[in-house]
Amino acid sequence: MPWRDNFHSRLVAWLKILLPLAALALLATLFLFSRNIDPMTTIPFAEIDLEARARDEGVTAPEFAGASAEGDLIAFKAATAQPEPGNTSRVLANDLSARIDLGSGGVVTFRAQTGTVDETANRAELSGDVVIETGQGYTLHSERLFSDMKRLYAESPGKVVGNGPPGQITAGRMVLERPENQAGAQLLFTDGVKLIYDPSKPGE
């Protein structure tokens, strides 16, 4: 039928015009919407304080070691450590511990919650529930302990409590050092020493 052919021809002609126009309209709509979108909001950036990150920068499981002239090996290690702000020669450490292998054959260990290692002064300061243990059977507790990293010397400037071969010990100050012209180390308790003697301790 002629009218059907004519309708079909006109429909095809209109579609050739309308379809490209519709495509252009869709593209224009997409461009219009894209101008209203902030591209920075489409990416989930983490808010990082770079200055704080640099300040908190540290190392994991660092070790500091030295040796005395008499052959004592002194080694410190920590769970984490970071430089002290404004002083790169000092290191702030967490879970700080030390082991001293005496040239005479004995062993002394320290451990504390926190500490400071000064590499220039060859000195370490332990703080926060300091525990001192020796191979002779002493276990002592204090809040602070200073230790040299190049010679056998450690000092607790405050109260020390604990147990040893003689019994229970309380003192206002403790010093671990090597006496002059002697091979071994000694613990010296001063400033109000109190000893509760325990006769059941071996060796007494």
Side-chain angles (χ1 to χ4, degrees):
M1 296 181 180
W3 66 274
R4 287 186 179 177
D5 294 337
N6 190 27
F7 174 77
H8 182 267
S9 299
R10 281 187 289 178
L11 179 60
V12 171
W14 279 107
L15 288 176
K16 288 181 179 180
I17 297 173
L18 292 176
L19 289 177
L21 289 176
L24 288 174
L26 287 174
L27 288 174
T29 304
L30 289 175
F31 281 116
L32 286 173
F33 279 117
S34 65
R35 291 171 188 167
N36 295 327
I37 297 175
D38 184 357
M40 299 298 290
T41 63
T42 62
I43 303 174
F45 286 102
E47 295 182 3
I48 300 175
D49 187 340
L50 296 179
E51 183 177 351
R53 185 69 174 272
R55 184 175 59 251
D56 296 337
E57 192 172 301
V59 294
T60 302
E63 295 187 6
F64 312 88
S68 70
E70 295 76 18
D72 305 310
L73 302 179
I74 305 169
F76 285 80
K77 64 180 180 179
T80 59
Q82 62 188 47
E84 183 179 72
N87 189 351
T88 57
S89 67
R90 287 169 58 90
V91 176
L92 306 178
N94 293 311
D95 295 331
L96 182 62
S97 62
R99 177 185 172 96
I100 303 175
D101 290 289
L102 303 174
S104 59
V107 176
V108 180
T109 62
F110 310 139
R111 65 177 184 273
Q113 296 173 354
T114 59
T116 303
V117 177
D118 191 328
E119 296 181 276
T120 301
N122 291 316
R123 175 184 169 104
E125 177 182 351
L126 293 82
S127 57
D129 191 21
V130 182
V131 180
I132 305 112
E133 295 181 318
T134 75
Q136 288 74 33
Y138 286 90
T139 300
L140 306 166
H141 298 263
S142 182
E143 283 302 310
R144 296 175 67 198
L145 181 74
F146 298 102
S147 175
D148 200 288
M149 300 180 67
K150 290 294 186 181
R151 65 187 180 97
L152 180 58
Y153 184 86
E155 175 186 354
S156 175
K159 184 178 179 180
V160 177
V161 296
N163 295 281
Q168 185 176 349
I169 301 170
T170 303
R173 179 172 176 265
M174 182 213 75
V175 173
L176 169 69
E177 63 181 350
R178 179 190 299 279
E180 190 174 356
N181 300 323
Q182 292 189 24
Q186 73 174 14
L187 283 172
L188 178 64
F189 299 96
T190 60
D191 298 352
V193 180
K194 180 180 179 181
L195 172 62
I196 301 177
Y197 175 67
D198 185 354
S200 66
K201 292 286 185 179
E204 295 295 322

